[in-house]
Amino acid sequence: MSDATAARVLEAKGRVVAPGFIDIHSHNELYIIRDDYRELFESYLRQGITSCVVSNCGWSLAPWPREHGDLFRSTLHSMGVSSSFQPEWETQGEFLGWLRRRGLPLNFVPLSAHGPIRIAVMGSQARFSTPEELERMKVMVRRDMEAGCRGFSTGLTYFPGMYAHTDELVELARVAGEYGGRYVTHVRSLTDTFDRAVEEAVEIAERSGSSLQISHFMCVPNLGWTADLVYAAVDVLEKIT
Ligand SMILES: [Zn+2]
């Protein structure tokens, strides 16, 4: 220890030293708004986790859509966010500014999330996007990336991501990829059709040029209805569009 010149020196003899761990899949943006968030995050710090990636599975609290606000709020309510919650932001940049002022107990790595963006542009419409709608979504992903997001996330077994055509996701992931961001996806099936869902994720990464992260890499056979429903919806949309 005698040659140390650092401003602060910790005596770690006999201990294991590791860099802070990173939780690459969290939904902590939903918890940071709670009054007791410091207590909630204490378990992270006790495990040595100092950074977490947030806004996974196509969901985030930003951008907060000006249009379709009631729909957005009711969808958030199903994730445990109080329906009386009043955000102090609209854009991703404003949200990240709010997080900084909030005083984060650990580092947040934000993703641009498909859900709020699709709701802002298309509301609850159960159909593929038009070229004009897709352009508007691309502008919003670009704005998120400019604000500091590190990738683009989707949740394709959920509303509204389940209504997106692969081509839509390629275009949006490409914007994230231009900024070095990765495509992070809760794929379209975690059950019998998992292979088809993984093929789609790989296709999106290859066509968009983004690197790929598959969330929940798992397959539960015979889970049944969720994937059947999602693929039934996509296949019907494919026929009528
Ligand atoms: Zn998920």
Side-chain angles (χ1 to χ4, degrees):
M1 300 301 290
S2 56
D3 296 334
T5 54
R8 188 175 175 215
V9 177
L10 298 175
E11 176 55 58
K13 192 174 181 186
R15 295 177 182 271
V16 174
V17 179
F21 297 124
I22 303 170
D23 178 356
I24 63 167
H25 187 98
S26 84
H27 295 275
N28 286 335
E29 77 285 354
L30 298 175
Y31 304 114
I32 193 73
I33 62 175
R34 287 174 45 156
D35 291 339
D36 60 348
Y37 74 97
R38 288 199 174 275
E39 292 152 48
L40 286 172
F41 288 127
E42 192 179 327
S43 63
Y44 271 88
L45 297 171
R46 286 186 180 277
Q47 293 174 79
I49 299 166
T50 54
S51 303
C52 60
V53 180
V54 301
S55 301
N56 281 280
C57 300
W59 208 254
S60 178
L61 296 178
W64 193 284
R66 196 179 300 174
E67 275 182 78
H68 313 295
D70 288 346
L71 172 66
F72 188 64
R73 197 177 280 284
S74 67
T75 313
L76 280 178
H77 186 63
S78 69
M79 298 173 204
V81 175
S82 164
S83 48
S84 63
F85 177 71
Q86 293 295 337
E88 295 174 27
W89 62 84
E90 195 171 300
T91 66
Q92 184 75 241
E94 289 164 357
F95 176 55
L96 298 180
W98 179 84
L99 285 177
R100 278 186 209 102
R101 292 193 301 280
R102 182 90 167 141
L104 293 173
L106 62 163
N107 302 310
F108 272 33
V109 181
L111 299 173
S112 174
H114 186 219
I117 287 173
R118 203 174 206 268
I119 286 179
V121 173
M122 297 179 63
S124 61
Q125 305 233 31
R127 59 169 175 77
F128 296 151
S129 53
T130 64
E132 188 263 337
E133 288 164 340
L134 180 54
E135 281 309 309
R136 287 175 59 199
M137 285 192 264
K138 285 166 70 175
V139 167
M140 295 179 78
V141 173
R142 187 171 300 283
R143 220 175 272 158
D144 279 2
M145 297 305 293
E146 294 276 352
C149 288
R150 299 303 178 94
F152 172 67
S153 83
T154 60
L156 305 181
T157 61
Y158 306 125
F159 164 82
M162 63 188 287
Y163 300 121
H165 191 278
T166 305
D167 292 346
E168 172 182 322
L169 305 173
V170 169
E171 290 297 309
L172 299 177
R174 182 175 291 133
V175 175
E178 286 172 21
Y179 292 82
R182 69 177 56 167
Y183 175 56
V184 182
T185 178
H186 170 129
V187 295
R188 224 179 275 270
S189 167
L190 299 175
T191 177
D192 306 65
T193 38
F194 183 63
D195 53 349
R196 180 176 168 184
V198 170
E199 277 169 20
E200 182 188 33
V202 171
E203 179 189 340
I204 292 165
E206 286 181 343
R207 287 174 57 199
S208 70
S210 300
S211 56
L212 172 65
Q213 178 185 323
I214 294 179
S215 308
H216 338 293
F217 198 89
M218 65 179 197
C219 173
V220 184
N222 305 318
L223 194 63
W225 68 271
T226 308
D228 293 347
L229 195 69
V230 169
Y231 275 117
V234 170
D235 290 340
V236 167
L237 289 174
E238 195 89 57
K239 287 194 185 83
I240 63 176
T241 302

